Amino acid sequence: MSDERSYPTGIGTSTTDRIQLLGLDLADEVLGKVSFGELAYWLATKRRPTPGQLRVFEAALVSLADHGYTPTAIAARMTYYSAPESIQGAIASGLLGGGSRFLGVTEDTGQFLAASIAALGDTSGYSEDDWDAVARDVLEKAKSEGRKVPGLGHPVHKQGDPRTPVMFQIAREAEVFGPHLSLFEAIGRVHPEVLGRTLPLNGAGVAGASLADAGLPLGLLRGFALLARTAGLIGHLAEEQQHPVGPAIYAEVDRNATYVPPAP
């Protein structure tokens, strides 16, 4: 047995005087030449994005960066109030809340759409009517199984998420409007007749469809949502440092807590 140990990576490495990243010299070939969005895409896929893919990718990140006082933002602010010496802890606490109700919908939608189109074969010639038929089948199956369709509905934007039509437009302009977005758009058109009520296509869902059509790995879609939300959490913490609300949130809950003794 050989005593040599090897831990391969195609990401990066460094020596005393050089840093290599994705096969390039970081200082000479990457710094000032590659944007952060392009680098994030490149790191995840090991290939450089096309201009259209990069535009859709960065638009999706921007769309997911912040949505106000969500549980993730509140968690980050409260952790900062409790441990102001730990910025990393405050950011981490916000990211840990990215799940099935917030942020995780991005990946759930991408995975749902991908599974739905996996058996369709070549869809390049599909018309709007074809996609509507697929959407009806998908929705009827989900309804019969008692499953929710990820990407449908929003707790605030009940009449329509303002991000959704813009993301559709950007993807079309960038020529990155593929089967995931086509099916998601069709779900938006036909779901009222199948489900008996009208729900908006939410921004997290359209981000998932957009990222999938832009060629990002399905298993990393939640990671991109977290990458985007990190920027939003940094913004919340910057604001918390200047105009803290954490003490008021803590006092509001603590002073209005109702103690209910456990039943005997």
Side-chain angles (χ1 to χ4, degrees):
M1 175 182 257
S2 173
D3 290 333
E4 293 184 4
R5 294 180 176 85
S6 177
Y7 304 96
T9 176
I11 302 298
T13 188
S14 60
T15 61
T16 56
D17 60 353
R18 189 182 184 201
I19 301 173
Q20 289 183 281
L21 185 66
L22 296 168
L24 300 177
D25 184 285
L26 175 64
D28 294 338
E29 299 176 285
V30 180
L31 287 180
K33 300 177 177 68
V34 177
S35 71
F36 180 74
E38 182 177 5
L39 180 61
Y41 186 106
W42 197 351
L43 285 167
T45 64
K46 297 292 182 68
R47 65 180 185 276
R48 299 187 79 160
T50 66
Q53 288 172 331
L54 180 58
R55 184 183 178 199
V56 168
F57 177 54
E58 292 188 333
L61 293 182
V62 171
S63 77
L64 296 170
D66 183 63
H67 209 273
Y69 277 120
T70 59
T72 58
I74 294 171
R77 285 181 181 250
M78 294 306 299
T79 302
Y80 180 78
Y81 174 50
S82 181
E85 72 282 1
S86 181
I87 289 290
Q88 71 274 20
I91 293 173
S93 68
L95 296 180
L96 287 171
S100 59
R101 291 183 177 173
F102 291 88
L103 293 178
V105 176
T106 298
E107 181 173 319
D108 295 343
T109 304
Q111 295 276 15
F112 176 83
L113 296 170
S116 299
I117 64 179
L120 298 179
D122 183 10
T123 60
S124 59
Y126 272 34
S127 66
E128 185 174 293
D129 288 342
D130 293 327
W131 283 117
D132 285 356
V134 174
R136 288 188 189 93
D137 289 341
V138 167
L139 289 162
E140 287 169 357
K141 180 180 179 182
K143 182 179 180 181
S144 68
E145 296 173 352
R147 294 189 297 123
K148 291 184 177 180
V149 177
L152 264 182
H154 196 282
V156 177
H157 306 304
K158 297 184 182 299
Q159 303 305 315
D161 192 316
R163 298 170 292 181
T164 300
V166 178
M167 286 299 300
F168 280 138
Q169 179 181 345
I170 289 172
R172 283 193 165 95
E173 292 173 353
E175 298 182 345
V176 185
F177 200 100
H180 301 86
L181 282 166
S182 295
L183 177 54
F184 194 56
E185 187 178 49
I187 288 172
R189 287 193 297 267
V190 307
H191 78 270
E193 65 188 73
V194 178
L195 303 182
R197 56 178 178 154
T198 301
L199 299 167
L201 296 177
N202 62 51
V206 76
S210 299
L211 292 171
D213 275 346
L216 278 307
L218 294 175
L220 292 177
L221 296 189
R222 186 172 300 191
F224 300 123
L226 296 174
L227 173 64
R229 188 53 56 92
T230 298
L233 293 177
I234 290 173
H236 275 278
L237 294 174
E239 190 174 75
E240 190 68 19
Q241 290 177 343
Q242 298 297 318
H243 306 287
V245 300
I249 294 174
Y250 164 66
E252 171 69 19
V253 176
D254 183 62
R255 292 171 188 171
N256 291 285
T258 301
Y259 178 66
V260 181

